[in-house]
Structures are given as structure tokens and as C-alpha cells.
Amino acid sequence: TIDVNNVGPSDAVNLSFTDAVPTGTTFVSVTTPAGWTRTDAVPVGGTGNITFTRASFPAGGATSTFTLVVNANLGLTDGTIITNTVTVGSATADPVPANNTDSVMTTVQNNADLEISKSVAPTGPNGAGASVTYTVNFKNNGPSPANNVTLTDTVPAGLVVNMQTNPAGWTCNSVVGGNGTITCTKASMASGEMGTLTVVATINCGQANGSTINNTATINAASPADSNTANNTAMASFTVRSEERRVGK
């Protein structure tokens, strides 16, 4: 948002306004305040100088407000500084030319915080031969989309998968009838997008009483950088309870 004022003491004539679309961005839109005429030909998606003219601006007249919208280019490095500079002038002598130019800077956030959580039900102890259900929930907390996302869920030995419900829109292999690593992929995951993987498995009857079964899931993306890798892995565990069998004579 750019505000232009004439604080006087004289009226300004033959005014010009120039705002350069910043490096690393493309033009989206600009508002035209009353009394000004846009003179450039920068198209939507283009770059260059946004320019306006005005025949006269009375001293103490109402503020002219311009609103410039641009898109930051995909692939900009996280932390990149974008600088926007605007200049206004007129044919009338200006007693304070130093305030005819102003700049503002903004920092690019190009990262995607992928988050994953995992639970198992029943929580245990669970008897050998019983079924358990794993639920893996995941989300892109943004602010950017995540590209080439990979979700893995390693079903350990000691379990046999009976049913696998994959997240909508993802491509996953199946381990139904066995165990091992489920790998799901997606080309792009939008900021705020969520998904769920559900796995139902049976505990092998030969599992030792008191043993612990751990199941770990992870999520990662090829780009951009993840701002919080601490929440990219989740594990669910339970203890096996085997019935003691005694033979009497």
C-alpha cells in the first residue's frame, strides 16, 4: 500500500508515479486512485515499472492510495528479501525531495512444515491373535505447498496386515497379507492439506508374552525445506499379552 500526499505549500503539477515490480515477483494488480491515470502496459504475470500520471495535486488535498499486488516466484529461497521501491515527482519544485522515494522489504517464507501423528487401538496390552488398528494422520502446516511428498509406515514383524485404507489422492503399495513398509507418494501437498492412512493387523500367535511391538511412520518432501523436522516421525507401541497354558496330569 502506497500513500501519496502533497503537504504543500504549493499545488503540484504534472505528477509522475513509478513503482517497480520487485525482482523475484510478477505483477498481479494495482488500484488507480481518483485523479491518476495509469500509463504503463505491464500485463498480469509480467514485470517492469508500474507508472501513473496526474495533471495537478492541490496542496493539502486528499491522500492518494495505491495498492500493488504481486506474486512471489516459485522456487525463491527461504529467507529471500524482496524489496519494493516507489518514486513520485512533479514539475513543481519540491522543498523536501528526500521523501519522494520510499522502499519496503519483505522476507520470503518458502518452507513446508509436514506433521505426522500415529495411534494404535486398543492401546494394550493386547492378546496374541487379536487385531489392532493403526491410524496415521498427517498434515502440511505450510506456509508453502510440499512437493514430491513421501509417507512411509513400517509394519513390523509380529503383525499380519488384514486391511489397508490409503489416503485419498495418494499412490501406495499394499502389504495386506504380510508386513513391511507401506510407501505412499503424492506430487504436491497443499498448505493445510491433511490425510489419513489406516492399517488393521493381527498379532501373531507366537509373539512372546510381555514383548513390545513398535510401529513407526514418517513423512518427508523433496522441497521446499521443512521448518520443523521434529514432527516428521511418529511411533505407536503396545505390549503383547499371551495366555499362559498349563497342562495337568
Side-chain angles (χ1 to χ4, degrees):
T1 301
I2 306 104
D3 291 329
V4 177
N5 296 285
N6 180 8
V7 296
S10 302
D11 293 349
V13 298
N14 298 328
L15 291 90
S16 62
F17 171 100
T18 302
D19 192 345
V21 175
T23 300
T25 72
T26 56
F27 175 71
V28 175
S29 65
V30 66
T31 58
T32 302
W36 293 83
T37 301
R38 185 176 169 190
T39 55
D40 68 88
V42 176
V44 173
T47 59
N49 292 331
I50 307 300
T51 57
F52 291 85
T53 59
R54 181 172 178 171
S56 65
F57 197 158
T63 298
S64 294
T65 299
F66 300 79
T67 302
L68 175 68
V69 179
V70 298
N71 269 337
N73 294 342
L74 291 175
L76 284 177
T77 304
D78 187 48
T80 297
I81 304 297
I82 293 176
T83 303
N84 178 233
T85 300
V86 62
T87 301
V88 67
S90 79
T92 306
D94 193 321
V96 189
N99 63 5
N100 290 5
T101 298
D102 197 14
S103 297
V104 66
M105 295 182 293
T106 188
T107 303
V108 173
Q109 281 189 292
N110 187 13
N111 54 65
D113 175 22
L114 297 177
E115 178 183 8
I116 192 168
S117 63
K118 184 164 192 171
S119 62
V120 61
T123 56
N126 293 310
S131 290
V132 293
T133 300
Y134 291 101
T135 303
V136 182
N137 292 310
F138 52 94
K139 181 181 180 181
N140 178 10
N141 293 317
S144 300
N147 302 311
N148 298 322
V149 186
T150 301
L151 167 75
T152 62
D153 184 16
T154 303
V155 180
L159 297 175
V160 174
V161 175
N162 304 318
M163 184 175 67
Q164 174 184 326
T165 304
N166 298 328
W170 292 68
T171 301
C172 307
N173 67 307
S174 174
V175 296
V176 172
N179 49 48
T181 300
I182 300 168
T183 301
C184 299
T185 59
K186 192 174 186 185
S188 181
M189 189 176 182
S191 177
E193 182 178 342
M194 297 180 287
T196 300
L197 169 68
T198 304
V199 176
V200 179
T202 299
I203 306 166
N204 289 343
C205 291
Q207 284 299 117
N209 185 49
S211 61
T212 299
I213 293 180
N214 301 315
N215 189 336
T216 301
T218 64
I219 190 167
N220 293 286
S223 66
D226 194 313
S227 58
N228 179 19
T229 56
N231 60 4
N232 289 14
T233 301
M235 183 172 69
S237 304
F238 65 87
T239 302
V240 176
R241 181 189 68 248
S242 294
E243 296 297 331
E244 183 180 0
R245 293 179 174 82
R246 295 184 179 181
V247 178
K249 186 175 179 181

